[in-house]
């Protein structure tokens, strides 16, 4: 209920970050970042069943999130349940986001979205006193 909604509306880039390793490293996405807006959405897995829980899903390395924050990223979106691996107990990528006051949007449906630049509208519900809220994310060319 206290977040700046400007972080959730505006130019965004969808980046294909699929790979075989469990964590997405910065070097894998660096070439897609030139001229990128402050909202980045990552296609980490080719998910065919959007209702099933993807075991062993790919996540963002905390070093990747740190470097994204230092380059001015304000929002990170992923098409998996978490920016951290499902077995993580310490949630290091979440902690980097918290330290840099980054917004996180998880469980995006990006399977049919072509990588590129869009307008993102992903307003969170105004729920008092919580640290997370559902959004309805929409991309427009």
């Amino acid at each position: 209920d206290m977040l700046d909604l400007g972080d959730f509306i505006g130019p965004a880039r969808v980046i294909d970050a699929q790979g075989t390793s469990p964590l997405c490293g910065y070097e894998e996405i660096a070439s897609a970042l030139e001229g990128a807006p402050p909202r980045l959405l990552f296609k980490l897995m080719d998910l065919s069943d959007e209702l099933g829980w993807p075991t062993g899903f790919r996540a963002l390395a905390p070093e990747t999130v740190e470097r994204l924050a230092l380059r001015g990223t304000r929002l990170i979106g992923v098409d998996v349940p978490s920016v951290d691996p499902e077995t993580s107990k310490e949630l290091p990528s979440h902690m980097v986001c918290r330290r840099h006051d980054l917004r996180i949007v998880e469980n995006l449906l990006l399977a049919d979205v072509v990588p590129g630049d869009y307008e993102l509208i992903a307003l969170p519900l105004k729920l008092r006193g919580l640290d997370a809220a559902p959004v309805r994310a929409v991309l427009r060319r």
Side-chain angles (χ1 to χ4, degrees):
D1 65 320
M2 297 187 295
L3 295 178
D4 179 4
L5 294 181
D7 289 337
F8 298 93
I9 303 171
R13 179 167 294 170
V14 175
I15 297 172
D16 187 344
Q18 297 178 68
T20 56
S21 63
L23 293 176
C24 176
Y26 187 83
E27 299 74 28
E28 296 176 69
I29 58 169
S31 64
L33 296 174
E34 186 163 336
R39 294 163 204 84
L40 301 173
L41 310 178
F42 296 100
K43 295 176 76 163
L44 292 168
M45 291 188 72
D46 184 18
L47 300 175
S48 56
D49 180 8
E50 59 199 46
L51 298 178
W53 182 269
T55 59
F57 57 82
R58 184 166 161 87
L60 297 174
E63 299 80 18
T64 301
V65 177
E66 181 75 32
R67 290 184 70 180
L68 292 173
L70 293 175
R71 68 170 297 284
T73 301
R74 293 296 309 135
L75 179 142
I76 293 174
V78 294
D79 63 349
V80 293
S82 177
V83 294
D84 284 297
E86 68 180 313
T87 58
S88 177
K89 302 293 184 222
E90 292 80 28
L91 305 173
S93 290
H94 276 88
M95 294 302 110
V96 173
C97 288
R98 183 177 185 188
R99 191 168 59 251
H100 289 282
D101 197 31
L102 294 181
R103 308 298 171 239
I104 304 170
V105 181
E106 297 165 326
N107 285 312
L108 291 168
L109 298 176
L110 298 175
D112 296 326
V113 178
V114 176
D117 291 339
Y118 297 85
E119 177 188 20
L120 171 69
I121 303 166
L123 298 175
L125 294 179
K126 188 174 182 177
L127 301 173
R128 290 190 187 275
L130 299 180
D131 65 354
V135 303
R136 171 119 188 235
V138 176
L139 290 174
R140 295 194 303 188
R141 274 277 185 199

